[in-house]
Amino acid sequence: MESDFGPQPFIFCNNLADRKQRVAKSKEQEQGSGDEQTPDAGEGSAEGEGIEAQVEDKQERSPNLLDAVKTLYAKGKEFASKLYGHKHFVVEETPDFMKKLGLSGDRFTIRYGVISRHLDKDNSHYLSEEEWEKLPDALKAPFAITKLSDKDKAYRIYTTLRNSKGEHIVVGVDVKNAGRDLEVNSISTVFGKNTKGGLTKKETIIYEDKKITPEQKSLLSGPNFRQYPDAQELSADKGTNKSETLQEGAEKMTKNR
């Protein structure tokens, strides 16, 4: 009589063999699908390097003047101030000839607040995006530079750049210490100036380009002293005239006697 357990070892072996075959086939399929989806090593490496380069560029590149201007003009003050509210931007390196004139900072800089403030000012103080873009090059080649007498290390740079009104753009600059013995030429204002107005009495010309035009020269004409006396001179003149009038009256009374 055949034992009830006789055929079981044979069935167990068959099942084990089938299972091994299925596992082996499954592994082959996985390897096959993996080979199809895996890109060439060189292609993957190049793509990875490109992505890494883009990430590094974004991390290393800090916002510049034009980034702030474009954001401000496109999104408005509220949005732009959240991104750039306390930032300073490098506008241009300072030419050597300007350093010798007293603009001793290594570079021209500007605060976001100065840019933002000029957005809502009158037309003479407003610069378009294109004019902001051209300003760095214009700073390097002005037709004149003046020094202000009422502030320490304060200058005005007269550029050949014009605004929408046809006025020459003038840049006000203060030399400031940015810390650790580092000086910068900080831009405090930007405005347009026409030929009707000459220099203020506090300005002294310290540089004039050899190729200056007659029109540009007219912007540098000094104020008429006889036409624009200051308050002290007016007061002195009034006092002198009054004394002279009293003296003339006394002389007339003496003669009449």
Side-chain angles (χ1 to χ4, degrees):
M1 185 175 175
E2 186 177 356
S3 171
D4 293 337
F5 298 96
Q8 287 185 2
F10 178 75
I11 295 172
F12 175 78
C13 290
N14 286 342
N15 291 340
L16 182 61
D18 291 342
R19 186 180 301 174
K20 287 182 177 180
Q21 289 179 358
R22 287 197 297 270
V23 170
K25 186 179 291 186
S26 176
K27 287 184 178 180
E28 289 178 359
Q29 291 176 351
E30 289 178 359
Q31 290 176 354
S33 62
D35 292 340
E36 292 175 359
Q37 295 176 1
T38 303
D40 180 72
E43 181 182 349
S45 175
E47 183 179 357
E49 290 176 358
I51 294 173
E52 288 178 3
Q54 292 176 8
V55 172
E56 289 178 1
D57 180 62
K58 289 181 179 179
Q59 290 176 345
E60 293 178 1
R61 180 183 173 278
S62 58
N64 58 31
L65 169 64
L66 293 182
D67 291 331
V69 170
K70 290 181 182 297
T71 303
L72 176 63
Y73 283 53
K75 301 290 187 177
K77 285 186 175 183
E78 184 177 355
F79 182 88
S81 63
K82 293 178 181 178
L83 298 177
Y84 310 113
H86 300 288
K87 291 188 179 296
H88 292 71
F89 304 100
V90 174
V91 180
E92 186 56 72
E93 301 296 318
T94 306
D96 289 337
F97 83 92
M98 290 190 187
K99 291 182 180 180
K100 295 177 181 178
L101 294 172
L103 290 112
S104 51
D106 289 333
R107 60 196 62 179
F108 289 96
T109 64
I110 189 169
R111 291 185 298 105
Y112 166 77
V114 175
I115 305 170
S116 175
R117 188 173 70 241
H118 282 72
L119 181 64
D120 295 331
K121 281 200 169 186
D122 56 83
N123 290 337
S124 292
H125 288 81
Y126 174 85
L127 265 66
S128 66
E129 289 186 43
E130 183 180 1
E131 289 159 0
W132 279 114
E133 188 174 356
K134 293 179 178 179
L135 186 63
D137 287 335
L139 268 177
K140 295 187 294 186
F143 64 83
I145 300 174
T146 63
K147 190 175 188 305
L148 302 182
S149 60
D150 63 337
K151 295 176 66 177
D152 186 35
K153 292 188 175 182
Y155 303 84
R156 282 183 178 172
I157 300 176
Y158 288 73
T159 75
T160 57
L161 183 63
R162 293 175 182 266
N163 61 16
S164 59
K165 295 177 63 177
E167 301 170 326
H168 281 281
I169 293 176
V170 182
V171 182
V173 176
D174 298 319
V175 180
K176 294 185 177 181
N177 192 322
R180 296 183 181 180
D181 298 325
L182 174 65
E183 287 187 325
V184 295
N185 299 323
S186 177
I187 296 176
S188 58
T189 186
V190 180
F191 60 93
K193 192 168 187 178
N194 58 41
T195 55
K196 295 180 180 179
L199 297 180
T200 62
K201 294 182 66 175
K202 59 187 178 183
E203 289 181 81
T204 301
I205 301 173
I206 60 173
Y207 169 80
E208 192 174 299
D209 185 56
K210 294 179 180 179
K211 298 180 181 180
I212 189 171
T213 66
E215 181 187 8
Q216 294 167 348
K217 187 79 173 179
S218 65
L219 271 72
L220 305 178
S221 58
N224 189 324
F225 180 80
R226 294 182 180 276
Q227 188 176 355
Y228 304 106
D230 60 28
Q232 186 175 356
E233 291 159 351
L234 285 172
S235 178
D237 288 342
K238 287 180 180 179
T240 302
N241 292 337
K242 186 176 181 180
S243 299
E244 289 176 351
T245 302
L246 290 174
Q247 185 175 356
E248 289 174 358
E251 289 176 355
K252 287 180 180 180
M253 289 177 65
T254 302
K255 289 179 179 179
N256 291 334
R257 288 178 183 174

